[in-house]
Amino acid sequence: HPDLVAALRHVGDQATAESNVRFEFTLTGAPSRCSPRLEEQLLRIAREAIQNSIRHARPTVISLHLEYDRDSIRLRVVDDGRGFDFAPSSNVKEHYGLKSMQERAELVGGRLTVVSARGKGTTVETVVPNPAGAYKYAS
């Protein structure tokens, strides 16, 4: 299994290859090895968020930010597309493919948040616990 960073880059490049969308990837923090189950769910969330964006938002740029810190791994997919009316109080389960992404995040003890507004793009953020981080940053 390739490491998560390489796999996420590949997912983004692959998803945007047939489109006019530019894919950007940024990494913050020191990547730590996480369980194959956690990596799989993060990959699937990233793929789904990118594909949703291409399918619905007509973006010119999709950025994927992966951030490791002591306690968590944060995955953010941000597009500059047309966005949609999304009230945080509304039920995430009613929107597009957000239900399955939310369920994937919950499967690995994380949470998914979505921020979007018409004409303002969309941010899908997943934060999951990073069991390896506590050891890595302990020194």
Side-chain angles (χ1 to χ4, degrees):
H1 190 291
D3 70 27
L4 183 60
V5 172
L8 285 168
R9 280 182 197 269
H10 179 71
V11 158
D13 288 339
Q14 206 177 30
T16 55
E18 303 296 310
S19 70
N20 294 323
V21 179
R22 192 168 84 241
F23 176 67
E24 297 174 345
F25 180 88
T26 55
L27 171 67
T28 309
S32 47
R33 192 86 185 114
C34 43
S35 74
R37 183 168 174 255
L38 177 56
E39 289 189 1
E40 177 69 19
Q41 296 310 322
L42 288 174
L43 276 173
R44 288 177 172 202
I45 290 167
R47 182 182 298 123
E48 201 161 334
I50 292 167
Q51 287 171 343
N52 275 353
S53 173
I54 292 168
R55 201 173 295 134
H56 301 294
R58 300 191 201 132
T60 56
V61 181
I62 297 174
S63 305
L64 194 153
H65 307 279
L66 182 64
E67 182 182 325
Y68 289 85
D69 66 26
R70 185 190 187 103
D71 308 311
S72 62
I73 301 168
R74 182 179 305 260
L75 174 76
R76 252 191 348 264
V77 177
V78 182
D79 72 49
D80 65 349
R82 54 195 183 147
F84 57 99
D85 289 325
F86 185 82
S89 59
S90 73
N91 186 348
V92 77
K93 291 178 166 42
E94 293 166 9
H95 287 274
Y96 304 116
L98 299 179
K99 176 179 167 43
S100 67
M101 287 189 279
Q102 184 180 52
E103 288 168 354
R104 289 183 191 292
E106 289 168 359
L107 263 179
V108 288
R111 65 180 195 278
L112 182 94
T113 54
V114 178
V115 178
S116 187
R118 285 199 191 281
K120 304 268 193 232
T122 301
T123 298
V124 176
E125 181 176 81
T126 308
V127 180
V128 295
N130 182 10
Y135 306 109
K136 193 171 194 99
Y137 292 89
S139 53

